[in-house]
Amino acid sequence: MKRSYIPVALLLAVLMLNIIFTQYMVHQYFYEHYTKTIIAAIINVILFPIAFLIYKKGVNVND
Amino acid sequence: MSDKNNKIPFNEDNYTHNINRNNERKLDRRGFMKTLVGAAGVFAVSSLPWGVLAAKELNGLGDKKYPKQKITDVSALPIGDAVDFSFPGEHDSAILIRLSEKKYVAYQNACTHLRCPVFWQKEEQEMLCPCHHGKFDVETGAPIAGPPRRPLPEIHVRVENGAVFAVGVKRYEA
């Protein structure tokens, strides 16, 4: 029944990055820096599979 | 007597079985992680439209030409007065201000803070957003007070045959 809270912390970090990049993306869009907007959007999308992998690993270790 | 307690651990999902409160273990560690992954998914999906819009802008939407549109007659607008109009679209409200005999300025009048309408204040010679007291310089559209950080997008105007026309939108640099 030992559980690790490292995946939880990692997921929280991912979510923090999500918030940061979303804010950055919206601001860069209105500043008309469109390349930066696209980069931030791509990072946001990539963060989802990362979060999923962290979840998978975190669950498998403890089952 | 049931054989429930003869097996250790007996077949029950709730291993903290001495706790009997409702929903005590509903949000456990795994449930919390699932929520976080779901939130990451929501962020990812909601980023997509911004990326698409930005890509569209990069592909030349920014240089879009608009048909010129009459705003008002010169005789109908005394020096120092302002008139509201819509340009380039029906829902893009804008404001035209006559500063002197020949000088006209026009801006998109949605405040760059939270998009409240911006009004022209003749006495103070500045543009005021009454929602949070954002102020803009009438000459450049740059923010001079209050929460807005970005300038108002400028609209190019031209005077022809005694009437003022809106001819284009300046994509502002920030």
Side-chain angles (χ1 to χ4, degrees):
Chain A
M1 233 18 94
K2 226 176 103 184
R3 43 183 117 149
S4 162
Y5 280 94
I6 293 173
V8 179
L10 284 176
L11 280 176
L12 285 172
V14 166
L15 213 63
M16 191 71 214
L17 286 176
N18 258 326
I19 293 169
I20 292 169
F21 280 112
T22 303
Q23 218 245 7
Y24 181 77
M25 173 182 73
V26 173
H27 278 232
Q28 292 307 310
Y29 180 79
F30 280 111
Y31 279 126
E32 303 199 344
H33 298 158
Y34 297 118
T35 323
K36 288 180 184 171
T37 311
I38 292 175
I39 291 169
I42 289 172
I43 292 173
N44 249 353
V45 172
I46 292 174
L47 279 174
F48 171 62
I50 291 174
F52 193 72
L53 284 179
I54 294 171
Y55 170 76
K56 274 271 166 213
K57 285 223 173 228
V59 169
N60 284 342
V61 163
N62 295 289
D63 274 351
Chain B
M1 195 176 160
S2 77
D3 62 343
K4 192 173 166 188
N5 282 332
N6 295 338
K7 296 174 193 154
I8 298 173
F10 57 84
N11 186 19
E12 197 188 327
D13 170 58
N14 182 358
Y15 51 80
T16 55
H17 50 84
N18 54 339
I19 297 174
N20 274 321
R21 273 185 237 149
N22 283 344
N23 300 329
E24 179 66 32
R25 297 194 59 248
K26 203 128 205 181
L27 189 69
D28 51 3
R29 189 189 68 113
R30 189 187 299 191
F32 184 58
M33 283 167 70
K34 274 181 190 162
T35 311
L36 291 181
V37 173
V42 170
F43 272 106
V45 171
S46 60
S47 308
L48 293 176
W50 293 93
V52 172
L53 281 179
K56 267 190 188 167
E57 291 277 0
L58 280 181
N59 281 330
L61 191 78
D63 303 324
K64 199 174 162 189
K65 295 279 180 287
Y66 301 100
K68 77 173 185 179
Q69 178 189 322
K70 183 180 170 183
I71 305 169
T72 179
D73 288 317
V74 169
S75 54
L77 188 68
I79 292 169
D81 268 9
V83 62
D84 287 332
F85 64 104
S86 293
F87 188 83
E90 197 187 329
H91 300 290
D92 304 310
S93 69
I95 185 166
L96 171 77
I97 303 161
R98 186 175 189 182
L99 292 177
S100 66
E101 188 62 41
K102 287 230 171 85
K103 187 165 168 60
Y104 297 86
V105 288
Y107 302 100
Q108 225 80 78
N109 78 346
C111 178
T112 52
H113 174 223
L114 288 175
R115 304 188 76 80
C116 279
V118 176
F119 296 94
W120 166 237
Q121 292 205 300
K122 204 173 174 179
E123 298 78 29
E124 282 88 23
Q125 293 284 299
E126 57 195 15
M127 303 171 75
L128 173 74
C129 168
C131 289
H132 305 103
H133 272 255
K135 289 180 178 177
F136 295 92
D137 183 18
V138 68
E139 301 278 342
T140 61
I144 49 177
R149 316 293 294 175
R150 288 172 284 116
L152 291 173
E154 193 177 344
I155 294 175
H156 293 298
V157 291
R158 195 185 300 148
V159 183
E160 277 172 21
N161 306 326
V164 187
F165 291 90
V167 292
V169 179
K170 183 180 175 187
R171 312 292 291 188
Y172 59 95
E173 301 88 34

